[in-house]
Amino acid sequence: MDFSFSEEQLAIRDTIRELVQDKVAPRAAEIDETAEYPQDIERLFAENGVLAIPFPEAYGGISGSSVTICMGIEEIARACATSSLILAVQALGSYPILIAGTEEQKRRLCPPLAQGAVCAYALSEPGSGSDAAAMKTTARRYGQEYVLQGTKIFCTHGNIAQTLVVFAVTDPDAGSRGITAFVLERERSPWSVLKLEHKMGIRGSPTALLAFDEVRVPVENRLGDEGYGFKIALQVLDRSRPGIGAQALGIAQGALDYAIGYAKERKQFGQPISAFQGIQFMLADMATQIEAARHLVYLAATKVDTSAPDLTKVAAMAKLFASDMAMRVTTDAVQILGGYGYIKDYPVERMMRDAKITQIYEGTNQIQRVVISRQLLR
Ligand SMILES: Cc1cc2nc3c(=O)[nH]c(=O)nc-3n(C[C@H](O)[C@H](O)[C@H](O)COP(=O)(O)OP(=O)(O)OC[C@H]3O[C@@H](n4cnc5c(N)ncnc54)[C@H](O)[C@@H]3O)c2cc1C
C-alpha cells in the first residue's frame, strides 16, 4: 500500500497546519474552558476552503478525498479536537448526500455546504444508540411531502446546522429495511433544539437533543428510495470512521509533542526527566503506537477513496485502534507531566478528556469489534 500523498494534498495540509498554528492552537484552551462553539474558527475554515474538502469540484468543493479529509482532521486535532469536528462533521453530514443523492440533489445541496453552511447527521435516538435500527422517529408521506415526528439525541452541530440529514421509519413493519433518509433544510423544514449537553471533552462542539414535531420535508429531499436509509447510514459510517481515527491520531500526536517538549525542560534529580530511561521508553511506546495507528487510518481512508471491498472491516479497525491508542497515549502524556499533567494550565489534561469520545461515537469500540468479527466470520 502506497501512502505517498499528492502535491495537492500536501499543499492543503500545509495550509491547514499554518492556520492551526496561527489561529486555532491559541484558542484551544479557551474553547474548552468556555465550552462555546468557535464561530470564528468555523468562519476561518470556510474562508480558507477547509469546509470544501469533503466535496468534489463538480459539487463546489476542492477534493472529496477521504485521505485529504483525514489529513485535515488530524492536523486540526493536534491542537484542538473541538475544532477538528467542524471538518469531521461537515464530512459526516454530507456523505449521505454524496453517496445516495441524485445528481440534482448533489448539485443543489452540496455547493452551499462547500462554502461553509454547516451540516449535521441525526441517527441516534434516546432509546437507540448502538442498535440504531431500533429508532422511533417516523416519516409519513402525504402527497408530495413527508411529515417527521420524533426525537434525535447527541446530534453534533444539530443546533447550528442549516442542513440536517435525518433517518426515520417509513415502514414500521420492515425493521431496518423500513428506514429512510431525508435532508432537512432549516428554513424550509425547521426542527427544534431541546437541549445542549454538558460534556467531559470536545466541550466547544455543541451536542444537541433535537425534536421533530410534524416537520414537513418535500419528497425531493428524500435520499434514495424508501427503505434504503439504514443501508445509507452504514455506508456513511464506513466512510466517516477513518475520520474519527484521524481525530484520535491528531489528539495523540498533540499530546506526544507536548510531552516531549516538557520532558526535555523539566528537571528532577539534577537532570531533565527525558534523561530517565523510564520516560524515554514511554515516549518510544507512544510514538510507535501513533505511527501504527497512522498507517491504519490512512489505509482505511485509501480504501474509502478506492471503494475497496474490505472497507467496512478496515474502517472499523482504524477507528478502534486509533481511539484506544489515543486514550493510552494521552493518559501517558499526563503521567509524563506528573502533577502538572493533571492541571488545566497544561493541554494534555484537555487532550485526555477529548480522546475519550473517540472510543464512543460513530459506534462504540465494542460495536467496532462486532463489525470486525462479523466481517471475519461471514
Ligand atoms: C459527544 C457525542 C457526539 C455524538 N454525535 C452524534 C451525531 O452527530 N449523530 C448521531 O447520530 N449520533 C451521535 N452520537 C451518538 C453516538 O454515536 C452514540 O452515543 C453511540 O453510538 C453509543 O450509543 P449509546 O450512547 O446509546 O450507548 P448504548 O448503545 O446504550 O451502549 C451502552 C454500552 O453498551 C455497549 N453495547 C451496546 N451494544 C453492544 C453489543 N452488541 N455488544 C457489546 N457491547 C454493546 C456499548 O459499547 C456501550 O459500552 C454522539 C454521542 C456523543 C456522546
Side-chain angles (χ1 to χ4, degrees):
M1 185 57 72
D2 180 9
F3 287 115
S4 57
F5 301 127
S6 70
E7 291 286 315
E8 194 195 352
Q9 286 170 326
L10 292 173
I12 292 173
R13 187 192 64 188
D14 290 348
T15 304
I16 295 178
R17 187 169 286 178
E18 222 167 278
L19 287 176
V20 169
Q21 275 167 4
D22 291 353
K23 302 270 171 44
V24 180
R27 287 270 283 117
E30 186 190 12
I31 291 167
D32 176 63
E33 184 64 30
T34 58
E36 277 170 17
Y37 176 70
Q39 253 164 353
D40 55 329
I41 308 282
E42 179 205 298
R43 257 196 320 275
L44 179 80
F45 287 170
E47 284 165 8
N48 287 277
V50 177
L51 299 182
I53 294 174
F55 305 94
E57 279 174 24
Y59 308 120
I62 59 168
S63 171
S65 150
S66 174
V67 169
T68 318
I69 295 169
C70 286
M71 289 171 89
I73 294 171
E74 182 189 346
E75 281 305 317
I76 303 165
R78 281 171 79 159
C80 178
T82 283
S83 298
S84 72
L85 277 168
I86 299 175
L87 172 57
V89 176
Q90 203 69 357
L92 174 69
S94 56
Y95 270 132
I97 303 168
L98 289 167
I99 290 170
T102 61
E103 196 56 30
E104 183 279 323
Q105 286 173 325
K106 290 186 217 176
R107 290 194 184 276
R108 174 165 56 88
L109 297 166
C110 291
L113 301 179
Q115 280 166 27
V118 172
C119 63
Y121 178 89
L123 177 67
S124 305
E125 296 190 2
S128 58
S130 300
D131 184 12
M135 67 180 63
K136 296 270 183 282
T137 297
T138 55
R140 291 202 172 78
R141 185 164 180 169
Y142 297 95
Q144 288 308 298
E145 281 183 335
Y146 286 86
V147 177
L148 266 64
Q149 187 73 37
T151 310
K152 293 286 177 184
I153 200 167
F154 298 151
C155 184
T156 304
H157 300 168
N159 58 325
I160 52 167
Q162 279 120 61
T163 300
L164 182 68
V165 173
V166 180
F167 298 86
V169 175
T170 42
D171 181 355
D173 301 323
S176 65
R177 291 200 175 86
I179 292 169
T180 304
F182 299 92
V183 181
L184 274 58
E185 295 170 278
R186 194 169 204 131
E187 282 188 8
R188 207 166 170 188
S189 307
W191 58 91
S192 315
V193 178
L194 299 185
K195 182 186 168 200
L196 295 178
E197 309 292 347
H198 293 286
K199 304 193 297 297
M200 172 193 289
I202 53 161
R203 285 167 47 76
S205 172
T207 309
L209 177 64
L210 307 179
F212 306 88
D213 188 12
E214 305 219 335
V215 173
R216 307 170 95 80
V217 187
V219 169
E220 67 256 27
N221 278 18
R222 188 188 69 212
L223 289 175
D225 290 335
E226 278 194 17
Y228 277 84
F230 197 62
K231 206 171 163 199
I232 296 168
L234 296 183
Q235 286 178 338
V236 169
L237 293 173
D238 284 349
R239 284 155 183 78
S240 62
R241 282 175 179 155
I244 300 304
Q247 183 186 38
L249 191 55
I251 296 170
Q253 185 69 58
L256 174 64
D257 293 345
Y258 196 87
I260 290 173
Y262 186 88
K264 287 183 185 166
E265 292 289 321
R266 175 70 174 170
K267 289 205 171 87
Q268 289 293 286
F269 301 98
Q271 51 189 329
I273 59 168
S274 61
F276 304 132
Q277 198 179 53
I279 297 289
Q280 291 168 359
F281 281 12
M282 282 177 81
L283 292 171
D285 284 345
M286 290 156 78
T288 305
Q289 291 174 66
I290 290 173
E291 209 49 43
R294 183 168 285 118
H295 277 71
L296 200 43
V297 165
Y298 286 99
L299 174 68
T302 304
K303 285 183 185 283
V304 174
D305 289 346
T306 55
S307 302
D310 58 350
L311 166 61
T312 299
K313 181 184 72 182
V314 178
M317 287 174 165
K319 192 270 190 192
L320 167 66
F321 187 82
S323 60
D324 282 353
M325 175 282 293
M327 204 61 243
R328 282 194 303 272
V329 165
T330 54
T331 306
D332 282 352
V334 168
Q335 192 68 20
I336 287 174
L337 267 72
Y340 298 94
Y342 202 67
I343 304 298
K344 280 186 182 288
D345 294 351
Y346 295 82
V348 291
E349 178 269 346
R350 162 172 51 86
M351 291 165 170
M352 183 176 153
R353 284 185 286 107
D354 285 343
K356 183 62 203 169
I357 191 60
T358 63
Q359 296 180 303
I360 296 173
Y361 56 19
E362 297 204 17
T364 65
N365 280 5
Q366 284 87 350
I367 293 304
Q368 306 308 318
R369 289 178 170 93
V370 170
V371 170
I372 295 161
S373 54
R374 205 175 272 159
Q375 294 294 316
L376 294 174
L377 297 169
R378 82 190 161 146

Coordinates of all heavy atoms in Angstrom, one line a residue, residues 74 77-78 81 202 246-256 326 330 351-352 354-355 358:
E74 N -6.7 15.4 11.2 CA -5.5 15.1 12.0 C -4.8 16.4 12.4 O -4.4 16.6 13.6 CB -4.5 14.1 11.3 CG -3.4 13.8 12.2 CD -2.2 13.0 11.5 OE1 -2.5 12.5 10.4 OE2 -1.2 12.9 12.1
A77 N -6.8 18.4 14.9 CA -7.0 17.8 16.2 C -5.7 17.8 17.0 O -5.7 17.7 18.2 CB -7.5 16.3 16.0
R78 N -4.6 18.0 16.4 CA -3.3 18.1 17.1 C -3.3 19.2 18.1 O -2.7 19.2 19.2 CB -2.1 18.3 16.2 CG -1.7 17.0 15.5 CD -0.7 17.3 14.4 NE 0.7 17.5 15.0 CZ 1.8 17.4 14.3 NH1 1.7 17.0 13.0 NH2 3.0 17.6 14.8
A81 N -9.4 19.4 19.4 CA -10.3 18.4 19.0 C -11.6 19.0 18.6 O -12.3 18.5 17.7 CB -10.4 17.3 20.1
I202 N -14.3 17.6 24.1 CA -14.8 18.3 22.9 C -15.9 19.3 23.3 O -17.0 19.4 22.8 CB -15.3 17.4 21.8 CG1 -16.3 16.3 22.3 CG2 -14.1 16.7 21.1 CD1 -17.1 15.7 21.2
A246 N -8.6 9.6 12.5 CA -7.7 10.7 12.3 C -7.7 11.7 13.4 O -6.7 12.3 13.8 CB -8.0 11.4 10.9
Q247 N -8.9 11.9 13.9 CA -9.1 12.8 15.1 C -8.3 12.3 16.3 O -7.6 13.0 16.9 CB -10.6 13.0 15.4 CG -10.8 14.0 16.5 CD -12.3 14.0 17.0 OE1 -12.9 13.0 17.1 NE2 -12.7 15.2 17.3
A248 N -8.5 11.0 16.5 CA -7.8 10.4 17.6 C -6.2 10.5 17.4 O -5.5 10.8 18.4 CB -8.2 8.9 17.7
L249 N -5.8 10.2 16.2 CA -4.4 10.3 15.8 C -3.9 11.7 16.1 O -2.8 11.9 16.7 CB -4.3 10.0 14.3 CG -3.0 9.8 13.6 CD1 -2.3 8.7 14.3 CD2 -3.4 9.4 12.2
G250 N -4.6 12.7 15.7 CA -4.2 14.1 15.9 C -4.1 14.5 17.4 O -3.1 15.1 17.9
I251 N -5.1 14.0 18.2 CA -5.1 14.3 19.6 C -3.8 13.7 20.3 O -3.1 14.3 21.0 CB -6.4 13.8 20.3 CG1 -7.6 14.5 19.8 CG2 -6.3 13.9 21.8 CD1 -8.9 13.9 20.2
A252 N -3.6 12.4 19.9 CA -2.4 11.7 20.4 C -1.1 12.3 20.0 O -0.2 12.5 20.9 CB -2.5 10.2 20.0
Q253 N -1.0 12.7 18.8 CA 0.2 13.4 18.3 C 0.5 14.7 19.1 O 1.6 15.0 19.5 CB 0.2 13.6 16.8 CG 1.4 14.2 16.2 CD 2.6 13.2 16.2 OE1 2.4 12.1 15.7 NE2 3.7 13.5 16.8
G254 N -0.6 15.5 19.3 CA -0.5 16.7 20.0 C 0.0 16.5 21.4 O 0.8 17.2 21.9
A255 N -0.5 15.4 22.0 CA -0.1 15.1 23.4 C 1.3 14.6 23.5 O 2.1 15.0 24.4 CB -1.1 14.0 24.0
L256 N 1.7 13.8 22.5 CA 3.2 13.4 22.4 C 4.1 14.5 22.3 O 5.1 14.7 22.9 CB 3.4 12.3 21.3 CG 4.8 11.9 21.1 CD1 5.4 11.2 22.3 CD2 4.9 11.0 19.9
A326 N -5.2 6.5 21.3 CA -5.3 7.9 21.8 C -5.5 8.0 23.3 O -5.0 8.9 24.0 CB -6.3 8.7 21.0
T330 N -2.6 9.7 25.5 CA -2.9 10.9 26.3 C -2.8 10.7 27.8 O -2.4 11.6 28.5 CB -4.3 11.5 25.9 OG1 -5.3 10.5 26.1 CG2 -4.4 12.0 24.5
M351 N -6.5 17.1 26.4 CA -6.4 16.1 25.4 C -6.8 14.7 25.8 O -7.5 14.0 25.1 CB -4.9 16.1 24.9 CG -4.5 17.3 24.1 SD -2.8 17.5 23.9 CE -2.7 18.9 22.8
M352 N -6.6 14.4 27.1 CA -7.0 13.1 27.6 C -8.5 13.1 27.7 O -9.1 12.0 27.3 CB -6.4 12.9 29.0 CG -6.7 11.6 29.7 SD -5.9 11.5 31.3 CE -7.0 10.4 32.1
D354 N -10.5 14.9 25.8 CA -11.0 14.8 24.4 C -10.9 13.5 23.8 O -11.7 13.1 22.9 CB -10.3 15.9 23.6 CG -10.7 17.3 23.8 OD1 -11.7 17.5 24.4 OD2 -9.9 18.2 23.5
A355 N -9.8 12.8 24.1 CA -9.6 11.4 23.5 C -10.7 10.5 23.8 O -11.1 9.6 22.9 CB -8.3 10.9 24.0
T358 N -13.6 9.6 21.3 CA -13.3 8.8 20.0 C -13.5 7.3 20.2 O -13.6 6.6 19.2 CB -11.8 9.1 19.5 OG1 -10.9 8.6 20.5 CG2 -11.6 10.6 19.3

